[in-house]
Amino acid sequence: MNRMDAVFERLKQQNETALIPFLTVGDPDLETTLDIIDQLEAAGADIVELGVPYSDPLADGPVIQRASERALKGKVTIRSCMQVALTARERGSRLPFILFTYYNPVLQMGLDLFFEEVVAHGISGLIIPDLPIEEAAEIRQRARQADVHLIPLVAPTSHERIASIVKDATGFIYCVSSLGVTGERADFFAGIEDFLNTVKTYSNVPIAIGFGISSREQVARFSSICDGVVVGSAIVRQIESNIPLLEKQESREEGLLQIRKFVAQLKGTSDSA
């Protein structure tokens, strides 16, 4: 069984919702990303999205764009991101890892090599936000053969396309909470619950919501109607604000602890550190 499926099955039995943090790999450097993954797991995260830094993103807001710029200065590549997943596993992590990447780095590797590396590095799922469903057939087939989930994104504007987007979904369906790019939001559009319920009518695959979720209150709100909640910009902003601490050996542990406490708060667990 795919590691991600096991997590959703366990959480369903426990009547809990998956907390899915997003990280830009290599922000501020690869070793710190590994240390942050340790903190996310200790704080109660269930699945982690590993964002491949990209120079021309379509869906990323300014917080994640800045993180990508920092990571790219460190020469982080899609291969670096996969290696982080493998190294984290070797260090004892039991988390499923999702590789969040735009399609161009995949094409540059070539599909044969890409999926060989995905499997070899223990990646459980893929999110490719700029790959239209109409052009995803070959990737979906290869992912299925590799027992890797290709996770579709569905937005409130998808309307009549929702059925076709989620028809062959595995892992979970990523429901975009609002229009535009990623970023923290105070409010969501009025029809968000209806949108989520509509997606559920077309598929029995777990649904997760993301884009704009930044507080424990928002996580709790969507936990009652979703199987997972993705938090990206708010966590990346926490990392950004703690870089001055993370860069100095004498304050590094404090910086990591601040990130851990924030994620524990999102999860609704008490931090034991």
Side-chain angles (χ1 to χ4, degrees):
M1 177 184 288
N2 183 293
R3 191 179 291 264
M4 191 190 312
D5 296 332
V7 167
F8 277 115
E9 182 61 32
R10 172 179 57 81
L11 293 173
K12 182 179 180 180
Q13 293 174 0
Q14 297 171 347
N15 196 30
E16 295 182 13
T17 301
L19 178 65
I20 309 173
F22 169 96
L23 300 175
T24 299
V25 176
D27 177 36
D29 57 68
L30 292 172
E31 184 60 33
T32 302
T33 295
L34 285 163
D35 289 341
I36 290 171
I37 290 171
D38 292 341
Q39 300 303 315
L40 299 182
E41 190 160 10
D46 299 291
I47 300 167
V48 170
E49 286 185 29
L50 298 176
V52 178
Y54 194 60
S55 58
D56 190 25
L58 298 176
D60 296 334
V63 173
I64 295 177
Q65 286 183 29
R66 291 196 300 270
S68 284
E69 290 169 3
R70 290 189 293 269
L72 289 170
K73 286 180 180 177
K75 309 299 183 183
V76 173
T77 67
I78 191 169
R79 290 174 178 271
S80 309
C81 299
M82 292 188 197
Q83 185 59 46
V84 161
L86 181 60
T87 303
R89 185 78 65 233
E90 292 170 347
R91 286 170 48 155
S93 176
R94 301 177 65 182
L95 292 168
F97 294 112
I98 299 168
L99 193 70
F100 184 108
T101 179
Y102 289 90
Y103 195 36
N104 191 50
V106 177
L107 284 177
Q108 288 184 345
M109 282 190 71
L111 296 185
D112 290 340
L113 179 58
F114 174 73
F115 276 100
E116 286 176 13
E117 295 290 286
V118 163
V119 171
H121 290 80
I123 304 294
S124 297
L126 303 171
I127 297 176
I128 308 176
D130 61 341
L131 179 64
I133 190 69
E134 293 82 3
E135 300 175 21
E138 183 177 4
I139 291 279
R140 187 186 305 112
Q141 180 182 0
R142 287 173 177 261
R144 188 180 296 115
Q145 291 171 346
D147 191 26
V148 174
H149 294 309
L150 178 64
I151 297 159
L153 280 83
V154 59
T157 53
S158 299
H159 301 306
E160 68 277 358
R161 297 182 69 244
I162 292 176
S164 60
I165 291 172
V166 306
K167 178 168 63 81
D168 298 313
T170 63
F172 66 88
I173 298 163
Y174 193 133
C175 298
V176 177
S177 69
S178 50
L179 306 180
V181 298
T182 58
E184 300 158 73
R185 290 174 174 83
D187 298 300
F188 301 89
F189 79 102
I192 184 69
E193 282 84 4
D194 290 340
F195 162 60
L196 295 170
N197 286 326
T198 297
V199 175
K200 289 181 182 180
T201 65
Y202 289 110
S203 177
N204 293 322
V205 173
I207 68 168
I209 189 166
F211 279 49
I213 298 169
S214 59
S215 68
R216 172 59 196 161
E217 291 73 23
Q218 291 171 345
V219 171
R221 171 187 175 184
F222 290 115
S223 290
S224 64
I225 51 176
C226 294
D227 304 286
V229 179
V230 180
V231 182
S233 293
I235 291 174
V236 175
R237 187 187 294 278
Q238 278 288 318
I239 295 169
E240 181 177 57
S241 65
N242 280 287
I243 286 176
L245 295 177
L246 296 169
E247 289 180 334
K248 298 177 182 178
Q249 194 59 41
E250 62 270 21
S251 58
R252 184 177 177 83
E253 287 301 318
E254 177 60 26
L256 292 169
L257 180 60
Q258 292 302 317
I259 297 165
R260 173 173 171 171
K261 285 182 175 179
F262 180 72
V263 176
Q265 183 183 40
L266 292 172
K267 180 71 176 179
T269 59
S270 58
D271 189 85
S272 57

